[in-house]
Amino acid sequence: MNTYNSVNRLNGLSSKQAGFTLVELVVVIIILGILAVVAAPKFINLQGDARVSSLAGMQSAIKGANTLVYSKASLAGVENEANVTDLDIGTGTDLFTAYGYVVASELDLDNVLQADFNSAISETDPTMAVDRGADWTMYEGNGQATIWQKGAPAECKLVYKEVTSTTDLPVYEIQTDPSKC
């Protein structure tokens, strides 16, 4: 018996224990690569999912505020009037309403949500015309407000359309596709 084998036996090692072969390492690396390719797309668009969730949160905030505004307008007896310019909702600034719901203006949405909005260049371009340091950017016009989260692509938006008659409800159009956000 040679000295090498007797030393290995004393240490509890057999001559067949050597470690991983190159083929085993390559197979493990290939399997990890396949897993990465399959799993990566699920995690890459987390920002788009977060923006869609933020838009849904803004939509819910406006809907909730509109419910309260309509209740106030009903109590004041002005829920059937086209243009009310002095509805007191308790914020210290009178609110403009159309048929009991908040109009789609930056000033009134700021008032009812108690939040500031940056002003956008157009209803299709969220580039800021006026930066107020807010997290949201808005463009108002034609009876609608287009709202983006700051830094979001133009397609990633919420459009709030004000009421135009006593039989209408406010319209909320929201982007729900994370790949566009």
Side-chain angles (χ1 to χ4, degrees), residues 139-158:
Y139 181 81
E140 65 172 86
N142 303 321
Q144 72 180 29
T146 306
I147 302 169
W148 299 268
Q149 190 175 24
K150 187 176 180 181
E155 302 84 30
C156 186
K157 63 186 175 185
L158 161 67

Side-chain angles (χ1 to χ4, degrees), residues 24-166:
E24 291 170 329
L25 289 174
V26 168
V27 169
V28 168
I29 290 170
I30 289 172
I31 291 171
L32 289 174
I34 290 170
L35 287 173
V37 168
V38 170
K42 299 286 183 191
F43 299 105
I44 287 175
N45 201 18
L46 290 178
Q47 185 176 31
D49 291 334
R51 284 187 172 146
V52 167
S53 294
S54 292
L55 283 176
M58 177 58 77
Q59 177 186 16
S60 294
I62 296 171
K63 280 183 175 181
N66 255 334
T67 300
L68 296 172
V69 167
Y70 190 83
S71 298
K72 282 281 207 175
S74 294
L75 290 172
V78 295
E79 75 276 11
N80 292 321
E81 295 184 26
N83 294 306
V84 174
T85 59
D86 62 350
L87 184 65
D88 180 11
I89 60 168
T91 60
T93 304
D94 288 340
L95 186 69
F96 288 74
T97 61
Y99 301 104
Y101 296 98
V102 64
V103 297
S105 75
E106 188 176 323
L107 179 67
D108 291 300
L109 286 170
D110 279 349
N111 184 9
V112 77
L113 297 173
Q114 294 293 291
D116 284 330
F117 288 93
N118 302 314
S119 295
I121 291 177
S122 75
E123 66 185 55
T124 59
D125 186 357
T127 303
M128 285 183 272
V130 178
D131 185 355
R132 294 183 181 92
D135 293 330
W136 294 91
T137 302
M138 178 190 302
Y139 181 81
E140 65 172 86
N142 303 321
Q144 72 180 29
T146 306
I147 302 169
W148 299 268
Q149 190 175 24
K150 187 176 180 181
E155 302 84 30
C156 186
K157 63 186 175 185
L158 161 67
V159 177
Y160 168 68
K161 295 180 181 179
E162 66 187 48
V163 176
T164 57
S165 74
T166 57

